[in-house]
């Protein structure tokens, strides 16, 4: 797995839309944050474009992302916001220069499409807050992105959850938004989870559909040779008038028990305020015990 060069003061970060629209005025908090870290900011041509829900047409979003990939002065690309739309352009991007000279791609939610596709190209990415979420992000959360970008040590300790299954494993971290992972199954962007640690999170889903997605991941062998599951925010889940019978914890834990996998819940990442940065494609040492969960990224 290629780890893109970490940033240093004076480097340039591009902000672009691959999904929902985002405007220059809304980008000011993110720009100020990056500049406070000594970085330069380049706003992509899609910032300010308004094509219904999207930040420009498919052609405009493709061209903007391609330009930032090919621009050798840009050392990282921060996707402005999620929503929907990245899958519409992923197969139009030429990643050949990117693989030769990789740079950090950052974001979460819909950006799972980019994380997964780029993982299959052998390059690490960052699951992180986005410019859209900067205004509501705690200083500690912003610091995790800075630490990751500048190559500082990343170690998280999280309180134990009653639903956890203990274990101690090491492996590459992969994953992202459960709905997006589900939607990518059968495509070139679907990831291989063998000997890896799978992170999942989601927002605003019905419980029966959570189970449907988990069952489909199961049928695609996502859990067969997996080392562990890390569950982030399963936020604002819904049930029908006739209850499904399990909550999100129970649905996912059932799979962990079936495959004898260590699992931790309520990890601070995803559609939650405490959305800490994860480096997908980098090895992590995961220790889930009765007192706490510790995740340490290692070389």
């Amino acid at each position: 797995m290629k780890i893109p060069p970490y940033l240093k003061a004076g480097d340039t970060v591009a902000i672009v839309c691959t999904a929902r629209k985002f405007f220059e005025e809304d980008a000011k908090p993110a720009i100020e944050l990056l500049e406070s870290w000594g970085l330069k900011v380049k706003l992509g041509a899609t910032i300010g474009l308004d094509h219904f829900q999207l930040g420009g047409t498919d052609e405009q979003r493709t061209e903007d992302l391609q330009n930032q990939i090919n621009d050798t002065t840009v050392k990282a690309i921060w996707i402005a916001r999620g929503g929907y739309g990245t899958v519409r352009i992923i197969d139009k991007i030429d990643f050949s220069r990117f693989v030769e000279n990789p740079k950090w791609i950052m974001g979460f939610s819909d950006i799972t499409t980019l994380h997964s596709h780029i993982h299959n190209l052998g390059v690490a990415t960052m699951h992180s807050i986005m410019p859209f979420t900067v205004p509501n992000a705690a200083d500690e959360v912003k610091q995790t992105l800075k630490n990751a970008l500048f190559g500082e040590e990343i170690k998280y300790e999280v309180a134990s959850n009653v639903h956890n299954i203990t274990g101690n494993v090491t492996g590459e971290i992969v994953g992202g938004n459960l709905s997006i992972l589900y939607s990518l199954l059968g495509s070139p962007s679907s990831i291989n989870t063998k000997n890896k640690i799978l992170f999942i999170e989601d927002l605003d889903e019905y419980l029966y559909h959570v189970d449907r997605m988990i069952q489909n991941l199961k049928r695609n062998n996502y859990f067969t040779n997996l080392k562990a599951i890390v569950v982030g925010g399963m936020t604002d889940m819904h049930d029908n008038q006739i209850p499904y019978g399990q909550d999100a914890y129970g649905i996912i834990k059932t799979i962990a028990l079936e495959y004898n996998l260590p699992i931790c819940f309520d990890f601070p990442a995803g559609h939650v305020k405490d959305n800490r940065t994860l480096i997908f494609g980098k090895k992590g040492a995961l220790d889930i015990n009765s007192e706490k969960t510790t995740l340490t990224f290692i070389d």
Side-chain angles (χ1 to χ4, degrees):
M1 183 64 61
K2 289 185 178 180
I3 306 296
Y6 295 109
L7 302 193
K8 61 184 185 302
D11 283 344
T12 297
V13 177
I15 299 176
V16 303
C17 292
T18 63
R20 282 193 179 172
K21 57 191 175 185
F22 193 68
F23 300 98
E24 185 171 354
E25 181 177 345
D26 299 320
K28 288 180 180 178
I31 294 171
E32 291 173 358
L33 180 66
L34 292 174
E35 290 179 344
S36 74
W37 297 345
L39 300 171
K40 298 177 182 178
V41 182
K42 176 185 178 183
L43 294 182
T46 49
I47 303 301
L49 295 184
D50 186 349
H51 183 69
F52 300 99
Q53 291 186 5
L54 302 173
T57 64
D58 290 351
E59 291 73 22
Q60 289 171 322
R61 297 191 332 280
T62 300
E63 182 179 10
D64 195 12
L65 181 58
Q66 189 71 64
N67 287 341
Q68 309 317 320
I69 285 174
N70 294 345
D71 187 343
T72 57
T73 69
V74 171
K75 304 304 180 183
I77 301 172
W78 204 4
I79 310 303
R81 64 177 300 183
Y84 171 74
T86 306
V87 72
R88 295 181 59 87
I89 69 172
I90 191 67
D91 293 323
K92 302 174 184 178
I93 301 296
D94 180 358
F95 285 97
S96 55
R97 292 190 187 181
F98 179 86
V99 172
E100 293 176 2
N101 297 287
K103 58 187 72 177
W104 291 108
I105 304 286
M106 302 111 69
F108 76 110
S109 191
D110 189 66
I111 315 312
T112 299
T113 299
L114 278 168
H115 290 310
S116 299
H117 195 86
I118 292 172
H119 181 80
N120 288 344
L121 299 176
V123 179
T125 59
M126 290 187 188
H127 182 275
S128 74
I129 59 172
M130 295 182 286
F132 177 71
T133 60
V134 164
N136 295 320
D139 290 342
E140 294 82 359
V141 172
K142 299 171 189 174
Q143 187 66 39
T144 68
L145 177 56
K146 181 183 179 183
N147 291 347
L149 279 174
F150 284 84
E152 302 293 332
E153 180 186 27
I154 302 177
K155 181 178 181 179
Y156 300 130
E157 291 187 355
V158 183
S160 180
N161 183 291
V162 66
H163 298 287
N164 287 358
I165 300 174
T166 60
N168 192 319
V169 300
T170 299
E172 288 182 6
I173 312 292
V174 296
N177 181 264
L178 177 59
S179 296
I180 302 300
L181 293 172
Y182 167 76
S183 73
L184 296 175
L185 292 172
S187 78
S189 303
S190 186
I191 53 176
N192 182 346
T193 58
K194 184 177 181 180
N195 295 324
K196 296 172 185 176
I197 298 169
L198 178 65
F199 168 79
I200 55 174
E201 62 85 27
D202 218 324
L203 169 74
D204 194 27
E205 287 288 349
Y206 277 87
L207 293 172
Y208 81 90
H209 189 51
V210 172
D211 188 67
R212 173 190 284 161
M213 293 187 288
I214 291 294
Q215 293 301 321
N216 209 346
L217 263 59
K218 172 185 174 181
R219 297 184 72 205
N220 281 271
N221 298 313
Y222 262 52
F223 307 110
T224 303
N225 294 296
L226 192 64
K227 286 197 169 183
I229 304 173
V230 175
V231 184
M234 297 299 290
T235 310
D236 295 334
M237 297 289 111
H238 308 290
D239 207 350
N240 290 316
Q241 186 174 1
I242 300 175
Y244 179 70
Q246 284 183 306
D247 60 12
Y249 295 98
I251 292 167
I252 301 170
K253 187 172 182 176
T254 298
I255 286 292
L257 288 168
E258 181 177 346
Y259 287 87
N260 195 29
L261 295 170
I263 185 170
C264 71
F265 290 91
D266 289 342
F267 191 88
H271 289 83
V272 290
K273 188 172 182 180
D274 191 4
N275 183 13
R276 305 183 199 181
T277 302
L278 300 171
I279 303 180
F280 287 165
K282 190 170 184 180
K283 283 187 178 180
L286 178 67
D287 181 20
I288 307 169
N289 59 51
S290 59
E291 296 181 354
K292 62 184 179 182
T293 294
T294 304
L295 175 61
T296 307
F297 285 92
I298 57 180
D299 294 331

